[in-house]
Each structure stands twice: as structure tokens, then as C-alpha cells.
Amino acid sequence: MSGFADRFGREPEVRAQAPGRVNLIGEHTDYNGGFVLPTPIPRRTTVELAIRGDRRVRLASASVPPPDMVEYELGLEMRREDWADYARGATRILEQEGCALAGFDAFIASELPIGGGLSSSAALCVALQRALRERFALALDDVALARIAQRAENEFV
């Protein structure tokens, strides 16, 4: 993927991925306390990321042609009803959980069709958080990232 360098004019510092998934049983029961049996699929979302010297976040997507870029300030995340709400929600919840972040640029590319029932939004949240975890040395395991992604989707989006 060369999208990060094309959009931001520099090389990414980290790269992270998360798979899409399907639920073999229990579709839409997890948030009601029911049982689910999810399984990952080979298609995934990839995030390339590099930090900035401020609190600004700039997001670009392979699915959105240039020059369209989403920007927001950490700590001032507001719902805009667009694809970037998942990233806004993730950074907001991470900071609420005490994770120290700085501004960053991120490029997102996904093999998952949006709205195809393959958890593309969860993959975006988890891939972004994995990149942030690596770059900012966040002490969060994958279970914690999944919980934060779930909160971002249920409480913010």
C-alpha cells in the first residue's frame, strides 16, 4: 500500500491490520448479552499511521478519492455521521480510558465491503487502535481493543 505516502507526503511509522468477521451463530445478540460464535475471514482492513506534532488527526481512505480528507482535534471529537465516526469514537474512548495520544495522520485501506455484514466498522476500529497501540506503546491487549471498539460503535457512533 502506498496510499499513506501519496496522501501525506511522507512514509508511515507503523502499519496494523484487523480481519473482517462473520458470526456463525448469534447475529445481533452480542450487545443483548446473548451468545455468539464469530470467526475471522481473510479479508482485512489496514491502517498506516504516523504521528504529528500537535493534537490534530487527519484521516484518508483508499475508498475516498483525494483531496477528501477528514480532520479533527483530539478531545473535540464530534459525531458527523460519516465513516470517520468510528475513528473519532475510538480516539475519544481511548483518551477516556487514560491513553495518552498525540495527533496523527492515518491512511485506511480495506478489502471489506461496507455494509456487507463482515464487520468492516469493527475492523477499522481495531486496526486503527492496533496502530495507535504500537506507535504510542499503549498497554492494551486485543481484548481491551475489542471492548473499546465496541464502546466506540455503541456509545459514539
Side-chain angles (χ1 to χ4, degrees), residues 38-49:
T39 187
I41 62 171
R43 291 182 170 215
R44 45 190 63 253
T45 296
T46 302
V47 172
E48 294 179 323
L49 183 142

Side-chain angles (χ1 to χ4, degrees), residues 79-133:
R79 202 166 152 233
R80 302 276 188 222
E81 297 187 17
D82 62 14
W83 66 269
D85 277 348
Y86 297 98
R88 290 184 195 102
T91 57
R92 180 186 214 175
I93 303 291
L94 282 167
E95 288 204 316
Q96 286 176 354
E97 293 290 318
C99 297
L101 302 177
F104 60 89
D105 294 332
F107 181 76
I108 297 126
S110 184
E111 302 166 340
L112 301 165
I114 296 169
L118 301 176
S119 299
S120 60
S121 57
L124 187 155
C125 283
V126 171
L128 176 62
Q129 288 180 97
R130 284 178 171 171
L132 292 169
R133 175 179 65 188

